[in-house]
C-alpha cells in the first residue's frame, strides 16, 4: 500500500485503457464465450465479457500485457459487471466469486511477470467494481417514483462478495468506478470498509464517478463537488472521473476535484465523444494533446482511458505524462473530536 501511495506523489501513474474495446478485436462468438464448460448453459452468454476470464483467459492476459507494454502502471481486472446483481442477467450469480478471483489472478500474474522484467517500474492491479445495472436512489418506473429496484443492503452484500474475491485473487487496489449513482458507490465503500475490518487489511481504494451530460452532473443529479463531499468520509487513494465524456469536456470537473480534494485525482476519459454509430474516432495523438491540459495545469495524479481507448492511446498518454509532475496535494488527517 505504501508503495503505490508514495508513487502517487512522485510521478503520474498511468492506468490502462478499455477492456471492451480490445475484446471486440477478437470477434468472439457465442461458442467462444461458452467454451466447453458452459456449452449447455440455458441462456445466451455472448456479451458477458467477465466470463471470458474463465473461458478465454489467454486473451484477457494478452490484453493486460499490451497495456503494460504501452506504459501502464496499473491495469484493471476484467470484472466491471462482476456482481451477483449484474450476473443475474446470465443466471450466473453462483459464479461471482470464481469470476472475480480468476480475473484478479490473471491480471496479477501478468503484473508480476512484467515487474520482474523491469523491477524499477512496479506494476499494480486494480480490482474493477462497476456500478451494477440497478440504481438505489432512483426509480426505474416513471409511474412510481418511490419504487426502488434494489436496496442499499442488497447492493452492499453484492459488492462485499465481489471485493472479497478480488482481494483473495491478489489485487493491489480496489477501484469503484463509473459511479452514476453515489448511493450505489456508498454501498460499495461500506462493503469495503467492512472487509477491511474483518480481514484486518488496509487495501487502498480508488473511486471514479461519471458525468453523464452537459449540465455537469452524475445521473443521480450530483455536481462534481457534491459527489466529492458525498464520499470524502472514507480514506481514499484517489477520486476522479471516467467514461461518458471526452478529455476536453472533462476538464472543468477535474478542476473542481483538484481544487477541493485531499486525495489523489484520477481521470480516464473516453476517446472523445461517440459518433452516430456509437464508435470512438479520436486518435491517440489527439487525445494525448487534450490531456496535456490536465498536466500543464497540475490537475491529476492518475491518467488512463475509458471507452474507445487502446494500448496506442495509453502509450501516447504515457509519453506526454512523463514530462510533467503529478498534482500536489496534502492528504487530510482526520483528528478525533475533543469533548
Amino acid at each position: 500500500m505504501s508503495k503505490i501511495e508514495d508513487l502517487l506523489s512522485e510521478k503520474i501513474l498511468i492506468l490502462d485503457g478499455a477492456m471492451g474495446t480490445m475484446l471486440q478485436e477478437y470477434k468472439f462468438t457465442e461458442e467462444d464465450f461458452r467454451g466447453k464448460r458452459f456449452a449447455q448453459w440455458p441462456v445466451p452468454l455472448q456479451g458477458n465479457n467477465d466470463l471470458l476470464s474463465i473461458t478465454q483467459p489467454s486473451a484477457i492476459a494478452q490484453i493486460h500485457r499490451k497495456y503494460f507494454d504501452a506504459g501502464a502502471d496499473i491495469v484493471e481486472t476484467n470484472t466491471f459487471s462482476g456482481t451477483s446483481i449484474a450476473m443475474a442477467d446470465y443466471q450466473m450469480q453462483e459464479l461471482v466469486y470464481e469470476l472475480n478471483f480468476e480475473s484478479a489472478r490473471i491480471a496479477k500474474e501478468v503484473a508480476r511477470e512484467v515487474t520482474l522484467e523491469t523491477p524499477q517500474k512496479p506494476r499494480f492491479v486494480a480490482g474493477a467494481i462497476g456500478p451494477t445495472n440497478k440504481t438505489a436512489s432512483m426509480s426505474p418506473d416513471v409511474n412510481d417514483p418511490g419504487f426502488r429496484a434494489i436496496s442499499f443492503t442488497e447492493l452492499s452484500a453484492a459488492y462485499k462478495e465481489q471485493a472479497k474475491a478480488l482481494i483473495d485473487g491478489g489485487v493491489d487496489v480496489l477501484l469503484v468506478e463509473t459511479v452514476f449513482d453515489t448511493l450505489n458507490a456508498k454501498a460499495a465503500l461500506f462493503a469495503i470498509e467492512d472487509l477491511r475490518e474483518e480481514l484486518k487489511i488496509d487495501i487502498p481504494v480508488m473511486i471514479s464517478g461519471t458525468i453523464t451530460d452537459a449540465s455537469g452532473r452524475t445521473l443521480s443529479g450530483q455536481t462534481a463537488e457534491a459527489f466529492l463531499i458525498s464520499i470524502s468520509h472514507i480514506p481514499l487513494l484517489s477520486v476522479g472521473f471516467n467514461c461518458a465524456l471526452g478529455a476536453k469536456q472533462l476538464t472543468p470537473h477535474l478542476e473542481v476535484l483538484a481544487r477541493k480534494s485531499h486525495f489523489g485525482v484520477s481521470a480516464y476519459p473516453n476517446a472523445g465523444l461517440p459518433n452516430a454509430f456509437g464508435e470512438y474516432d479520436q486518435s491517440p495523438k489527439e487525445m494525448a494533446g487534450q490531456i496535456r491540459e490536465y498536466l500543464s495545469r497540475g490537475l491529476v495524479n492518475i491518467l488512463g482511458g475509458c471507452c474507445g481507448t487502446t494500448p496506442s492511446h495509453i502509450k501516447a498518454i504515457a509519453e506526454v505524462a512523463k514530462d510533467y509532475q503529478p498534482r500536489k496535494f496534502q492528504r487530510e488527517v482526520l483528528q478525533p473530536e475533543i469533548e
Side-chain angles (χ1 to χ4, degrees):
M1 176 178 174
S2 59
K3 186 175 288 186
I4 195 168
E5 286 195 336
D6 291 343
L7 286 174
L8 201 64
S9 57
E10 293 172 7
K11 59 175 282 191
I12 291 167
L13 296 178
I14 303 300
L15 192 65
D16 62 1
M19 173 62 74
T21 299
M22 294 298 291
L23 285 172
Q24 287 174 9
E25 296 181 2
Y26 288 81
K27 295 180 168 50
F28 286 132
T29 63
E30 175 72 23
E31 289 69 30
D32 295 324
F33 273 85
R34 287 174 176 268
K36 291 181 180 179
R37 179 175 168 185
F38 303 103
Q40 303 304 316
W41 203 256
V43 297
L45 297 178
Q46 190 169 11
N48 185 0
N49 286 348
D50 295 31
L51 180 61
L52 295 173
S53 293
I54 293 176
T55 57
Q56 303 292 336
S58 61
I60 303 302
Q62 286 170 6
I63 292 168
H64 289 320
R65 180 74 193 218
K66 286 177 181 178
Y67 278 123
F68 278 136
D69 289 346
D73 299 288
I74 309 167
V75 297
E76 299 175 56
T77 54
N78 179 40
T79 54
F80 185 81
S81 299
T83 58
S84 56
I85 297 164
M87 281 296 139
D89 288 350
Y90 301 99
Q91 299 179 20
M92 286 190 158
Q93 299 94 313
E94 298 302 315
L95 288 166
V96 163
Y97 184 91
E98 183 182 357
L99 286 170
N100 285 278
F101 181 90
E102 284 302 307
S103 294
R105 183 192 62 77
I106 292 166
K108 190 62 180 178
E109 191 174 290
V110 178
R112 287 197 186 104
E113 290 173 1
V114 180
T115 299
L116 282 173
E117 294 167 12
T118 53
Q120 74 281 7
K121 182 175 178 170
R123 300 326 203 278
F124 302 95
V125 175
I129 299 175
T132 83
N133 50 5
K134 294 186 179 180
T135 173
S137 68
M138 294 176 290
S139 172
D141 184 353
V142 294
N143 297 312
D144 186 0
F147 174 73
R148 296 293 180 270
I150 194 82
S151 71
F152 185 93
T153 302
E154 290 168 324
L155 278 166
S156 185
Y159 282 130
K160 189 173 182 179
E161 180 184 24
Q162 181 180 25
K164 175 67 163 58
L166 290 169
I167 292 168
D168 289 350
V171 301
D172 304 290
V173 185
L174 291 173
L175 169 56
V176 180
E177 66 167 325
T178 321
V179 176
F180 61 80
D181 182 346
T182 309
L183 192 55
N184 284 38
K186 288 167 86 73
L189 294 173
F190 180 84
I192 292 166
E193 286 302 295
D194 245 12
L195 278 174
R196 277 173 160 173
E197 189 173 335
E198 285 179 17
L199 303 176
K200 294 180 170 50
I201 59 170
D202 199 12
I203 189 166
V205 177
M206 301 167 61
I207 189 164
S208 183
T210 186
I211 300 293
T212 55
D213 57 38
S215 72
R217 294 175 181 270
T218 64
L219 188 64
S220 56
Q222 286 189 312
T223 62
E225 183 174 1
F227 170 67
L228 174 64
I229 292 168
S230 294
I231 48 84
S232 288
H233 60 293
I234 298 289
L236 299 170
L237 180 73
S238 67
V239 60
F241 288 116
N242 72 289
C243 204
L245 303 178
K248 186 175 182 180
Q249 293 81 9
L250 201 57
T251 305
H253 312 301
L254 291 175
E255 287 176 335
V256 174
L257 298 184
R259 190 169 65 249
K260 296 182 177 289
S261 176
H262 294 285
F263 311 124
V265 170
S266 69
Y268 52 113
N270 292 344
L273 297 175
N275 61 27
F277 302 100
E279 297 171 344
Y280 295 87
D281 301 320
Q282 193 171 65
S283 69
K285 182 178 180 181
E286 186 181 357
M287 185 175 184
Q290 291 185 6
I291 276 176
R292 188 185 292 274
E293 185 176 357
Y294 302 170
L295 301 165
S296 63
R297 296 167 65 174
L299 299 180
V300 293
N301 303 91
I302 301 172
L303 270 176
C306 204
C307 303
T309 58
T310 65
S312 296
H313 290 84
I314 298 307
K315 183 177 182 180
I317 290 169
E319 281 295 312
V320 171
K322 66 181 175 58
D323 296 328
Y324 292 87
Q325 291 298 307
R327 166 182 165 270
K328 302 299 179 185
F329 66 101
Q330 184 64 47
R331 193 173 297 274
E332 184 179 40
V333 178
L334 298 177
Q335 300 294 334
E337 293 183 8
I338 300 174
E339 294 185 359

